[in-house]
Amino acid sequence: MPVRIEPWTKDDFPLLEKLFGDPRMTEHLGGPESPGMLADRQRRFEKLAEIGNDRMFKVIEVTTGESVGTVGYRELTWRGEEIYEIGWSTLPAFQGRGIAGNATALAIALARQDGRHRHMHAFPSIDNAPSNAICRKLGFTLIEECEFEYPKGSFMQCNDWRLELY
Ligand SMILES: CC(C)(COP(=O)(O)OP(=O)(O)OC[C@H]1O[C@@H](n2cnc3c(N)ncnc32)[C@H](O)[C@@H]1OP(=O)(O)O)[C@@H](O)C(=O)NCCC(=O)NCCS
């Protein structure tokens, strides 16, 4: 399914609610967020591009113009190295059509262009079969199983996947 990605805007709160406020969507991400947490997240996403190198995009289905998911990356210190960590999501009605994979490939291309970090990592839960499949398909290398803190204060058993950006 062809998609494009665009920076997050003030009009994208309904999409954020459908993703981060939904128990199914947040099963591997620490559970649904409260209205206050969603509002904070919206403010953070809107400002990201102005204040640093982290990026959050909405994923748009090209044929319909509909917003169907997110992809984003942020800077993180991991095992002593400055890296990008990337994550993605697709609304349930649109899953299984290659949307997250295609959107993630576009976001990786942008991170490559900025040339800031050698490595991009993804930390899907070991039980998140589609996300682990996406990492494999996009050429990430499986480094190890590890404990990863997401959201803050909650630890998940994850796979550490790494991609060379340059
Ligand atoms: C993970 C998620 C983004 C996948 O979205 P999607 O748009 O359906 O993903 P895609 O269609 O691009 O790719 C899914 C891949 O997983 C594969 N897959 C799906 N279910 C699978 C399973 N049970 N076992 C193995 N592979 C599976 C698909 O075959 C596909 O690979 P392919 O393109 O080689 O056929 C979506 O399920 C989601 O939003 N989940 C909730 C949020 C989340 O967990 N985000 C991950 C944070 S790292």
Side-chain angles (χ1 to χ4, degrees), residues 25 29 88-90 95-101 128-131 133-134 137:
M25 292 300 299
L29 305 171
W88 44 75
S89 64
T90 304
Q95 290 176 5
R97 303 189 210 165
I99 287 175
N128 192 338
S131 282
I134 288 168
K137 188 168 73 173

Side-chain angles (χ1 to χ4, degrees), residues 41-110:
R41 186 181 282 280
Q42 170 68 19
R43 274 192 291 274
R44 265 200 329 275
F45 282 5
E46 276 177 38
K47 291 213 167 68
L48 276 186
E50 294 164 23
I51 56 175
N53 304 315
D54 298 359
R55 294 287 179 269
M56 180 53 67
F57 304 96
K58 64 187 153 192
V59 178
I60 299 169
E61 207 183 15
V62 169
T63 41
T64 60
E66 218 171 325
S67 297
V68 295
T70 65
V71 62
Y73 51 84
R74 62 171 179 156
E75 292 182 313
L76 188 73
T77 306
W78 179 249
R79 313 267 198 243
E81 183 191 351
E82 293 296 311
I83 61 150
Y84 275 137
E85 183 219 347
I86 190 163
W88 44 75
S89 64
T90 304
L91 289 172
F94 299 90
Q95 290 176 5
R97 303 189 210 165
I99 287 175
N102 290 344
T104 302
L106 295 173
I108 290 170
L110 292 177

